[in-house]
Amino acid sequence: MMKNKYSIFSLIKNAFSQHENWKQAWGDPEPKKEYEAIIIGGGGHGLATAYYLAKKHNMRNIAVLEKGWIGGGNTGRNTTIIRSNYLWDASAGLYDHALKIWENLSQELNYNIMFSQRGVMNLAHNLQDVRDLKRRTHANRLNGIDAVWLNTNQVKEFCPIINTSPDIRYPVLGGTLQRRAGTARHDAVAWGYARGADEMGVDIIQNCEVKGIKRNRDQVEGVETSKGFIKTKKIGVVAAGHSSVIANMAGLKLPLESKPLQALVSEPVKPIIDTVVMSNAVHAYVSQSDKGELVIGAGTDAYVSYTQRGSHDVVEGTLKAILELYPIFSRMKMLRQWGGIVDICPDASPIISKTNIKGLYFNCGWGTGGFKATPGSGDLFAHTIANDEPHKLNAAFNLNRFVSGDLVDEHGAAAVAH
Amino acid sequence: MFLINCPYCGERDQSEFSCGGEAHIVRPKQPTELSDDQWAEYLFMRKNIKGIQFERWNHAHGCRKWFNMVRDTSNDKIYAVYKMGEKSPIE
């Protein structure tokens, strides 16, 4: 099926021509006059949506519009953590659906997304943390998600560089571990989905900014873009931090606030931490990339901003916590720091939903933790767009929950509270 | 990160303040008569503007007083700061 299947043989063959004859992985088309559906936003979620629309719902005449370059937004700006140990049933269903797709995604896409199930450990630093995290492991196991509780000694055994001394400000009282969780290469996810979607005929149009949404009463008719007007009857918006901006174009208001979320990486060093460790109470999480950099996640600024940079005090707070938990990192130099704009829902759960405008769908509100859901989000959003009905796994994540009050309140239950 | 000119204390670091979100959302006068849609609008729906936004701030680590601010969320530039109950100097 693949036009240019990547394999050991294609690698050897191309080695003979100094790797100069690899074919372009996806095209650079000009937009057509009309599409069956248009996806706004060429990040991981948007490209995955297009991929599953083409693959599972046979919608081939579709386009992904990206104002910059694909994967250049939050897909390329996150800490690449994948896990599914959420408290509520609806979240567990959603995130574990994604995790199951991750487990086979490299094979499916014929693209090495470097998925590594190195485990994610969540630390407890006070009695309430211990109770909450134990409750979460029980809830996880009832939902068929692997989770174990570790005491302080087991935490130390699993990750020896953690300072488990009882006399630090927030001592480690234990933690939970999801062994199936881990990380993946974020860029490869976008590229793999783009290549897969392109092969099935999806137009991936970069440097094409959406300027307006045209609607005739309650039905969408198309999008105004920097490359002209494009007609369509179905629009899927996957614009992350800029979801409200697109919603405003259609005259909609969403329950979102957009804030800068920061992360940073250190200079590369030899392997020192072979898992992902997160801590809610002191707000620090760390893993090590395949290049050897420590990947550290900080928090969000507590005000709306689209500036793609964050406050210094947020990074400072995170690094203080990192240093107390890992004194061994005290001489590390940080190489890069960046901010991405995340759209946060009042209940810290995403929206994958129809709207009251016919043909307009939103996939947003992933807040500080959308990367882990990329394949599942794309799959379920494609289902919602193709059938004009949600899949049972994303039915709870509708926009109407803010009217009915049936929230999926992960805010108090998230692994890291932002 | 930026400096905020508190109307009571003068210019201070932003980390001394906490943001209370969008300003001028009036609490419904007769909550019992509100429909679910109107409640959702009041509680959850936000303009979340990229550009000039009106918002409430509190000088949490200072005088602890609330005030309003007009800020461009695309570059964090502050255009006006005014006390609660006062009219915005910018429309």
Side-chain angles (χ1 to χ4, degrees):
Chain A
M1 184 185 108
M2 295 275 178
K3 276 186 292 192
N4 301 290
K5 198 170 178 347
Y6 294 155
S7 67
I8 182 75
F9 304 108
S10 70
L11 194 62
I12 294 166
K13 192 178 139 217
N14 279 280
F16 285 114
S17 54
Q18 318 297 323
H19 295 293
E20 280 174 1
N21 294 326
W22 287 103
K23 295 235 165 63
Q24 215 178 332
W26 56 86
D28 187 21
E30 282 302 308
K32 294 181 208 158
K33 292 251 178 305
E34 183 175 357
Y35 289 98
E36 206 179 336
I38 283 176
I39 305 300
I40 302 175
H45 290 243
L47 293 164
T49 305
Y51 175 84
Y52 292 112
L53 273 175
K55 191 180 175 197
K56 293 173 89 168
H57 306 282
N58 210 26
M59 288 170 72
R60 304 287 164 104
N61 184 27
I62 58 177
V64 178
L65 308 184
E66 166 55 48
K67 80 172 165 183
W69 62 94
I70 59 164
N74 292 352
T75 298
R77 288 169 173 265
N78 63 79
T79 50
T80 77
I81 298 168
I82 295 163
R83 61 185 179 86
S84 65
N85 56 350
Y86 279 72
L87 178 68
W88 303 119
D89 293 350
S91 314
L94 176 66
Y95 290 102
D96 210 51
H97 176 62
L99 183 46
K100 283 177 188 141
I101 303 177
W102 279 117
E103 287 175 328
N104 208 22
L105 194 58
S106 288
Q107 284 73 20
E108 185 187 333
L109 293 177
N110 178 233
Y111 203 97
N112 186 5
I113 56 154
M114 296 160 80
F115 181 52
S116 157
Q117 291 178 296
R118 59 184 69 183
V120 169
M121 186 161 68
N122 293 104
L123 300 180
H125 297 274
N126 54 53
L127 197 55
Q128 191 59 45
D129 276 1
V130 173
R131 287 175 182 147
D132 287 345
L133 289 180
K134 278 188 176 168
R135 178 190 177 202
R136 185 142 64 87
T137 59
H138 296 317
N140 290 158
R141 288 159 75 170
L142 285 170
N143 277 318
I145 292 166
D146 68 307
V148 286
W149 169 258
L150 306 178
N151 64 28
T152 308
N153 290 336
Q154 289 167 317
V155 166
K156 183 82 180 167
E157 210 172 292
F158 188 68
C159 184
I161 58 168
I162 293 182
N163 179 8
T164 51
S165 159
D167 55 8
I168 62 174
R169 177 69 183 83
Y170 297 103
V172 176
L173 301 183
T176 65
L177 174 63
Q178 184 181 20
R179 290 185 194 275
R180 283 165 63 231
T183 60
R185 174 71 201 276
H186 49 6
D187 297 319
V189 176
W191 299 337
Y193 273 123
R195 174 167 167 264
D198 178 86
E199 229 157 31
M200 292 182 285
V202 175
D203 280 356
I204 296 165
I205 302 159
Q206 305 184 70
N207 299 310
C208 180
E209 185 177 355
V210 170
K211 306 270 193 192
I213 289 178
K214 196 178 166 210
R215 50 187 270 206
N216 181 5
R217 292 201 189 117
D218 285 337
Q219 164 70 50
V220 296
E221 292 197 316
V223 288
E224 286 296 347
T225 76
S226 53
K227 295 192 174 187
F229 179 74
I230 311 172
K231 216 172 139 186
T232 189
K233 285 209 158 57
K234 285 189 171 190
I235 301 171
V237 184
V238 204
H242 282 69
S243 297
S244 296
V245 177
I246 305 279
N248 290 342
M249 292 175 189
L252 267 186
K253 251 203 271 183
L254 294 173
L256 296 174
E257 286 195 312
S258 296
K259 295 171 177 180
L261 172 67
Q262 291 182 83
L264 52 165
V265 294
S266 72
E267 58 189 335
V269 290
K270 285 187 175 176
I272 183 71
I273 178 165
D274 63 356
T275 185
V276 183
V277 185
M278 309 181 73
S279 168
N280 185 355
V282 299
H283 204 295
Y285 48 101
V286 63
S287 63
Q288 191 171 17
S289 76
D290 293 344
K291 287 181 281 185
E293 303 152 326
L294 295 180
V295 183
I296 294 171
T300 51
D301 285 334
Y303 50 86
V304 170
S305 179
Y306 288 84
T307 54
Q308 290 199 336
R309 53 178 185 254
S311 300
H312 184 67
D313 55 313
V314 172
V315 171
E316 216 175 4
T318 290
L319 289 179
K320 278 181 193 164
I322 291 280
L323 287 192
E324 185 162 73
L325 279 175
Y326 312 92
I328 192 174
F329 294 153
S330 66
R331 300 300 172 93
M332 292 287 285
K333 290 184 177 66
M334 289 301 142
L335 207 61
R336 285 178 289 129
Q337 167 272 351
W338 64 92
I341 305 306
V342 298
D343 45 329
I344 303 176
C345 266
D347 60 354
S349 287
I351 295 165
I352 310 172
S353 178
K354 296 162 66 166
T355 64
N356 51 21
I357 299 169
K358 214 169 167 322
L360 185 62
Y361 307 85
F362 271 86
N363 182 351
C364 59
W366 290 95
T368 56
F371 176 73
K372 66 174 81 68
T374 305
S377 154
D379 182 32
L380 299 172
F381 195 42
H383 180 101
T384 308
I385 294 173
N387 299 303
D388 197 38
E389 277 299 323
H391 187 278
K392 68 177 184 338
L393 285 174
N394 69 305
F397 299 95
N398 61 59
L399 249 176
N400 197 52
R401 73 179 190 266
F402 298 97
V403 177
S404 70
D406 190 10
L407 304 179
V408 188
D409 193 4
E410 286 286 345
H411 236 314
V416 173
H418 284 284
Chain B
M1 195 168 191
F2 40 83
L3 293 173
I4 295 174
N5 193 8
C6 171
Y8 303 96
C9 311
E11 205 162 70
R12 299 290 177 87
D13 194 292
Q14 166 262 313
S15 61
E16 289 188 16
F17 298 81
S18 59
C19 182
E22 195 179 316
H24 308 302
I25 298 175
V26 182
R27 187 178 165 81
K29 282 211 171 70
Q30 301 216 280
T32 47
E33 282 167 27
L34 246 48
S35 68
D36 287 353
D37 281 312
Q38 287 167 315
W39 265 122
E41 181 73 20
Y42 167 67
L43 281 176
F44 298 126
M45 300 303 162
R46 295 293 176 261
K47 288 183 191 149
N48 195 22
I49 292 167
K50 183 179 188 177
I52 307 280
Q53 171 157 295
F54 294 75
E55 49 198 24
R56 298 173 305 169
W57 284 77
N58 178 244
H59 194 180
H61 299 286
C63 63
R64 306 193 65 187
K65 287 199 174 88
W66 285 92
F67 58 92
N68 292 315
M69 191 194 284
V70 186
R71 185 172 59 94
D72 188 334
T73 60
S74 67
N75 57 18
D76 285 345
K77 199 172 165 193
I78 297 168
Y79 286 97
V81 170
Y82 54 102
K83 292 177 182 170
M84 283 290 165
E86 283 180 5
K87 214 172 163 289
S88 165
I90 298 169
E91 283 302 310

